[in-house]
Short mmCIF file of all heavy atoms in Angstrom, two decimals:
data_model
loop_
_atom_site.label_atom_id
_atom_site.label_comp_id
_atom_site.label_asym_id
_atom_site.label_seq_id
_atom_site.Cartn_x
_atom_site.Cartn_y
_atom_site.Cartn_z
N ARG A 776 -20.79 -13.24 7.15
CA ARG A 776 -21.67 -12.42 7.92
C ARG A 776 -22.66 -13.35 8.73
O ARG A 776 -22.82 -14.50 8.40
CB ARG A 776 -22.47 -11.47 7.04
CG ARG A 776 -21.51 -10.60 6.17
CD ARG A 776 -22.29 -9.74 5.25
NE ARG A 776 -23.00 -8.70 5.87
CZ ARG A 776 -23.19 -7.47 5.29
NH1 ARG A 776 -22.51 -7.17 4.22
NH2 ARG A 776 -23.98 -6.58 5.87
N ILE A 777 -23.28 -12.80 9.76
CA ILE A 777 -24.18 -13.67 10.53
C ILE A 777 -25.43 -14.04 9.76
O ILE A 777 -26.19 -14.86 10.18
CB ILE A 777 -24.50 -12.93 11.82
CG1 ILE A 777 -25.01 -11.49 11.60
CG2 ILE A 777 -23.36 -12.94 12.78
CD1 ILE A 777 -25.48 -10.75 12.83
N THR A 778 -25.60 -13.44 8.59
CA THR A 778 -26.69 -13.88 7.73
C THR A 778 -26.34 -15.13 6.88
O THR A 778 -27.20 -15.67 6.21
CB THR A 778 -27.03 -12.69 6.68
OG1 THR A 778 -25.85 -12.43 5.91
CG2 THR A 778 -27.42 -11.42 7.40
N GLY A 779 -25.01 -15.49 7.01
CA GLY A 779 -24.56 -16.59 6.15
C GLY A 779 -23.94 -16.18 4.80
O GLY A 779 -23.32 -16.94 4.18
N GLU A 780 -24.22 -14.89 4.51
CA GLU A 780 -23.62 -14.35 3.24
C GLU A 780 -22.16 -13.97 3.45
O GLU A 780 -21.74 -13.84 4.57
CB GLU A 780 -24.39 -13.10 2.79
CG GLU A 780 -25.87 -13.35 2.52
CD GLU A 780 -26.07 -14.36 1.36
OE1 GLU A 780 -25.43 -14.24 0.34
OE2 GLU A 780 -26.92 -15.27 1.57
N SER A 781 -21.48 -13.82 2.36
CA SER A 781 -20.09 -13.40 2.44
C SER A 781 -19.91 -12.12 1.63
O SER A 781 -20.57 -11.94 0.57
CB SER A 781 -19.18 -14.53 1.92
OG SER A 781 -17.80 -14.06 1.70
N HIS A 782 -18.93 -11.24 2.01
CA HIS A 782 -18.58 -10.12 1.19
C HIS A 782 -17.30 -10.32 0.47
O HIS A 782 -16.76 -9.42 -0.16
CB HIS A 782 -18.49 -8.82 2.10
CG HIS A 782 -17.52 -8.94 3.15
ND1 HIS A 782 -17.79 -9.18 4.47
CD2 HIS A 782 -16.18 -8.73 3.11
CE1 HIS A 782 -16.67 -9.19 5.14
NE2 HIS A 782 -15.67 -8.88 4.36
N GLN A 783 -16.81 -11.62 0.42
CA GLN A 783 -15.64 -11.93 -0.29
C GLN A 783 -15.74 -11.62 -1.74
O GLN A 783 -16.73 -12.02 -2.41
CB GLN A 783 -15.27 -13.46 -0.09
CG GLN A 783 -14.17 -13.89 -0.94
CD GLN A 783 -12.80 -13.27 -0.70
OE1 GLN A 783 -12.53 -12.87 0.52
NE2 GLN A 783 -11.99 -13.06 -1.75
N SER A 784 -14.83 -10.87 -2.30
CA SER A 784 -14.88 -10.48 -3.79
C SER A 784 -16.05 -9.71 -4.14
O SER A 784 -16.35 -9.46 -5.35
CB SER A 784 -14.66 -11.75 -4.64
OG SER A 784 -13.41 -12.29 -4.43
N VAL A 785 -16.79 -9.19 -3.15
CA VAL A 785 -18.00 -8.37 -3.39
C VAL A 785 -17.87 -7.05 -2.60
O VAL A 785 -18.24 -5.95 -3.21
CB VAL A 785 -19.29 -9.08 -3.00
CG1 VAL A 785 -20.54 -8.18 -3.16
CG2 VAL A 785 -19.47 -10.38 -3.92
N GLY A 786 -17.53 -7.14 -1.39
CA GLY A 786 -17.43 -6.05 -0.55
C GLY A 786 -18.69 -5.81 0.23
O GLY A 786 -19.74 -6.41 -0.03
N VAL A 787 -18.62 -4.99 1.27
CA VAL A 787 -19.79 -4.53 2.03
C VAL A 787 -20.35 -3.36 1.21
O VAL A 787 -19.73 -2.40 0.93
CB VAL A 787 -19.40 -4.13 3.46
CG1 VAL A 787 -20.55 -3.49 4.12
CG2 VAL A 787 -18.77 -5.19 4.26
N ILE A 788 -21.62 -3.51 0.83
CA ILE A 788 -22.33 -2.52 -0.08
C ILE A 788 -22.92 -1.39 0.95
O ILE A 788 -23.73 -1.73 1.81
CB ILE A 788 -23.37 -3.14 -0.89
CG1 ILE A 788 -22.81 -4.35 -1.67
CG2 ILE A 788 -23.96 -2.09 -1.78
CD1 ILE A 788 -21.67 -4.06 -2.50
#
Side-chain angles (χ1 to χ4, degrees):
R776 301 173 73 142
I777 50 178
T778 60
E780 299 299 313
S781 169
H782 60 260
Q783 172 62 34
S784 294
V785 174
V787 176
I788 308 303

